[in-house]
Amino acid sequence: MHATWVAVGSGSAVVVTLLNYLGIRPASLFQTLAVLFLLGVGALLVLGALTGGEREHLTPLFRGGAGGVLTVLVAVPFLFVGFDVVPQSAAEINLPRRLVGTLLVLSVVCAALWYVLVMLTVGAGLGPDALASADLASAEGMAALWHSPLMGDVLVLGGIAGILTSWNAFLIGASRLLYAMAASRMLPTWFARLHPRFRTPSNAVLFVGGLSALAPLFGESMLEWLVNAGGINIVVAYVVVVLSFLRLRHREPAMERPFRAPAGQLVGILALLLSLALGTLYLPGMPAALTWPAEWLIAGAWWTLGALLLLRLPWTGAGADAEGRLVAAVERRRGR
């Protein structure tokens, strides 16, 4: 990995960390501006497909059979990661909780439509051979649709905006997760410190930001191992959430639920089956199989660490007020 790319990655981490350290509002403003720019680039891509796309490039609409479907499914966990940031930061969202749940479901639907739209528009701009040989298919598709290399550069900027929005969201979610874990005594209380002025979990933000700034120094191979090992952990997180969902509906049927999933039991069972099916893609012989020993050892180390942290959780409920503490801090910041 070149020093210039390391500098870009580490420098970007410092900027995003600073935004989150100064409060949720600067981070939210940055997120809004970046998303608006991304949507503008998406609109240009759609307009280019409508005016310069070739319908013949989309024929056949599907190819590759079961193998092609599995190839796409490998990317699904990464495409839908990040929505967990919504519940993790729900205490700082100034909206009714029922509406937060509705917006979460709506955001997943919008993301699915967005991915489909990108595939269709890029496919309309490039034929099968051009797609197969493309280094950056989306950028080359945009350039072909508009007959301008400059528009390809605009698409790249949109891609960078998408990366930054994900990065910003992950930093928000990860820092709030560390804060909640510290308040629940799974982690040292140092992570639960709130900044006296900005009312952000400042130590948690700095810790996650520091790791992000150091990550480019690990090198391309190590980062690839971490990303691949992280893929199966995304699926594990899906499974744990669904199991918790089903367990709570059974044990606590009268629990207050501002947002209730329709046909919740059926939805939960289907989500569990689909999550387990995704998990099989990482087993030996499958398209996304983890390599031995590096990626399996990394995944195993994360599972072991998670089990050790779980043992630190006080089951008496002494640390169960993490969300309430963060809500109180946010209310004080708003002057209520």
Side-chain angles (χ1 to χ4, degrees):
M1 185 176 289
H2 299 290
T4 51
W5 286 111
V6 172
V8 169
S10 298
S12 299
V14 171
V15 173
V16 176
T17 302
L18 179 61
L19 284 171
N20 281 271
Y21 186 85
L22 295 177
I24 193 66
R25 287 190 176 181
S28 300
L29 177 61
F30 169 78
Q31 191 82 354
T32 300
L33 295 176
V35 168
L36 288 175
F37 178 75
L38 180 60
L39 291 176
V41 174
L44 290 175
L45 188 59
V46 172
L47 182 59
L50 293 175
T51 58
E54 298 288 342
R55 184 176 298 179
E56 293 77 12
H57 291 167
L58 298 176
T59 305
L61 196 58
F62 299 96
R63 64 173 58 199
V69 173
L70 289 177
T71 301
V72 175
L73 286 178
V74 168
V76 167
F78 293 97
L79 295 178
F80 287 100
V81 73
F83 295 100
D84 53 320
V85 173
V86 176
Q88 288 166 357
S89 59
E92 297 170 270
I93 299 176
N94 189 21
L95 289 172
R97 292 196 174 186
R98 176 175 175 78
L99 183 57
V100 171
T102 303
L103 290 177
L104 175 56
V105 175
L106 181 61
S107 66
V108 174
V109 174
C110 289
L113 294 176
W114 175 267
Y115 295 135
V116 171
L117 190 65
V118 170
M119 288 185 283
L120 289 176
T121 52
V122 173
L126 297 176
D129 295 336
L131 276 174
S133 61
D135 293 324
L136 290 174
S138 298
E140 294 183 26
M142 180 76 140
L145 290 171
W146 287 92
H147 307 289
S148 170
L150 178 61
M151 296 303 290
D153 295 336
V154 172
L155 193 285
V156 171
L157 292 177
I160 293 174
I163 293 173
L164 290 176
T165 55
S166 300
W167 196 342
N168 186 49
F170 283 134
L171 188 50
I172 293 173
S175 59
R176 273 58 179 179
L177 180 60
L178 288 178
Y179 171 86
M181 293 174 69
S184 299
R185 301 182 187 176
M186 295 177 70
L187 291 174
T189 55
W190 182 83
F191 289 101
R193 177 184 179 272
L194 290 175
H195 194 281
R197 178 183 174 187
F198 303 122
R199 311 310 300 171
T200 56
S202 52
N203 289 346
V205 169
L206 291 176
F207 179 78
V208 176
L211 289 180
S212 301
L214 291 175
L217 299 175
F218 294 165
E220 185 174 353
S221 296
M222 183 62 177
L223 291 177
E224 183 178 349
W225 292 341
L226 291 173
V227 170
N228 292 341
I232 192 171
N233 284 296
I234 296 171
V235 180
V236 169
Y238 285 175
V239 172
V240 171
V241 169
V242 175
L243 289 175
S244 301
F245 171 81
L246 292 172
R247 181 65 171 168
L248 282 174
R249 288 185 69 90
H250 177 71
R251 289 189 58 184
E252 304 286 346
M255 176 185 290
E256 180 185 358
R257 292 176 169 87
F259 178 86
R260 297 184 66 91
Q265 196 75 9
L266 177 61
V267 170
I269 293 173
L270 289 176
L272 178 60
L273 294 176
L274 291 173
S275 299
L276 291 174
L278 281 176
T280 62
L281 297 178
Y282 296 90
L283 299 178
M286 298 299 285
L290 301 185
T291 60
W292 175 263
E295 292 174 1
W296 276 113
L297 288 178
I298 292 173
W302 280 340
W303 295 341
T304 302
L305 180 59
L308 294 175
L309 291 177
L310 187 62
L311 292 176
R312 289 176 51 88
L313 183 65
W315 298 101
T316 59
D321 61 341
E323 183 179 357
R325 290 175 56 191
L326 186 54
V327 170
V330 173
E331 296 299 325
R332 288 195 299 270
R333 186 186 66 199
R334 290 173 179 164
R336 295 183 181 177

